[in-house]
Amino acid sequence: MRLTINHRTRYRFSRPLTNAVQILRLTPLSCLNQTVLDWRIDVDCDARLRESRDGYGNCVTALYVDDPVTSLTITANGEVVTDDRAGVVSGLPSDLPPGVFLRPTALTTPDEALRDFAAEIAARVPNPLARLHTLSASLSERMQFEIDTSIVSTTAADAFEAGRGVCQDYAHIFIAAAREGNIPARYVSGHLYRRDGAGDQPASHAWTEAWVDDLGWVAFDPTNGICADDAYVRVASGLDFTDVSPIVGARRGGGEEQMTVEVRVTNAARRRQSQRQGSRGSWQEQSQG
């Protein structure tokens, strides 16, 4: 598919912002699963942008704002052609050894209940690939998707105990259970094109990749209980959410902050058809999940 993505983050401050440094992980990279045709990041004030790569190979843009502002809008948009490779992720520009992604983190350390859950699936399904499919499907069935029930610091163990959460929580639980069974797994952030046309999708999406011998990295979306296909645009990956947060940074001044996020992911072919029919779309204001 040829997907067009528009991702906009707006900040408003109660007092002028003196200066700020933001780290943006908003730019996807080409691989065999996706080809980035065009991508740009725009800011609505005088700012400096510097692009680099982080330790996981993700594209990182450093944003520097040095002049006083009372609002700030960051827009990332472009076009990406995606290919359905049955979940197998190949051709990444750079990568780390799979064993790195066996390391637990504060957000993905399992408790006894999560260990028991992982052990039960491992005993019942010894084949690693089949086990990962079972884990993804089990979480999709067991967990209830609910927004505003968790925060960015919610751990896999807490979300599993609650039995509800958003895509970030599903991903952390999957990663914790996979690593418990000695399968390297990592957190992936990006965008999901909703084939059902739903307007209440999150501003960004999260899923996972797990290492399978003879296949390499395979992308699983436990929120939907499927492997990632051509509806997914991969942006960044890491040990957990903290490694791939779309925007993080520090500022001086500004007082109280209000942030809103808008996203739009469209199929170029369907968009052209809609334009011929005279229909019009609108921006979707969403929260991450």
Side-chain angles (χ1 to χ4, degrees):
M1 280 193 290
R2 183 166 179 160
L3 300 178
T4 300
I5 300 164
N6 293 274
H7 184 279
R8 182 175 297 168
T9 305
R10 290 190 178 98
Y11 296 94
R12 290 182 174 83
F13 307 102
S14 60
R15 295 196 301 271
L17 179 75
T18 305
N19 54 58
V21 179
Q22 297 274 37
I23 300 299
L24 317 178
R25 291 183 178 86
L26 298 171
T27 303
L29 296 172
S30 295
C31 62
L32 294 182
N33 303 73
Q34 61 189 38
T35 301
V36 181
L37 301 179
D38 175 57
W39 197 267
R40 62 179 294 156
I41 294 176
D42 293 309
V43 185
D44 70 340
C45 65
D46 290 336
R48 291 174 288 131
L49 297 173
R50 294 181 180 175
E51 186 175 298
S52 62
R53 300 288 180 88
D54 66 13
Y56 298 102
N58 303 314
C59 183
V60 174
T61 303
L63 166 65
Y64 303 90
V65 178
D66 298 320
D67 298 323
V69 294
T70 56
S71 65
L72 173 65
T73 299
I74 303 168
T75 303
N77 61 74
E79 286 195 334
V80 181
V81 173
T82 59
D83 185 27
D84 185 356
R85 298 178 60 86
V88 178
V89 180
S90 305
L92 294 172
S94 61
D95 211 343
L96 295 174
V100 170
F101 298 96
L102 283 171
R103 189 170 65 193
T105 67
L107 292 176
T108 61
T109 299
D111 61 2
E112 183 177 356
L114 192 41
R115 290 191 185 96
D116 290 343
F117 172 71
E120 186 277 328
I121 292 179
R124 179 162 48 91
V125 189
N127 177 272
L129 179 59
R131 185 193 313 171
L132 292 166
H133 280 291
T134 301
L135 173 59
S136 178
S138 297
L139 287 177
S140 181
E141 295 172 0
R142 179 188 182 110
M143 296 285 291
Q144 184 173 354
F145 187 92
E146 288 186 15
I147 61 173
D148 300 326
T149 59
S150 62
I151 56 178
V152 294
S153 59
T154 298
T155 66
D158 289 341
F160 185 73
E161 180 182 11
R164 60 183 183 272
V166 293
C167 60
Q168 173 183 308
D169 303 304
Y170 284 73
H172 283 153
I173 296 170
F174 181 99
I175 290 167
R179 291 176 184 164
E180 182 67 16
N182 204 37
I183 297 177
R186 61 191 181 190
Y187 189 104
V188 181
S189 68
H191 297 285
L192 172 63
Y193 169 67
R194 292 287 296 268
R195 289 186 170 90
D196 61 4
D200 57 352
Q201 59 180 309
S204 58
H205 193 49
W207 60 96
T208 66
E209 291 171 357
W211 182 264
V212 179
D213 290 339
D214 300 326
L215 285 177
W217 290 109
V218 181
F220 294 88
D221 180 1
T223 304
N224 294 302
I226 62 173
C227 281
D229 56 17
D230 58 349
Y232 293 73
V233 174
R234 186 187 194 278
V235 174
S237 65
L239 289 170
D240 61 24
F241 169 77
T242 58
D243 293 326
V244 303
S245 178
I247 301 178
V248 65
R251 61 181 172 89
R252 294 180 59 189
E256 296 183 359
E257 173 188 303
Q258 181 183 19
M259 182 186 74
T260 59
V261 178
E262 298 171 318
V263 69
R264 198 178 195 187
V265 182
T266 56
N267 183 329
R270 290 192 175 185
R271 187 176 69 253
R272 286 193 294 269
Q273 181 181 9
S274 296
Q275 289 171 344
R276 288 195 297 268
Q277 294 172 345
S279 62
R280 293 186 295 178
S282 60
W283 283 86
Q284 302 167 24
E285 186 168 329
Q286 304 164 338
S287 61
Q288 184 175 6

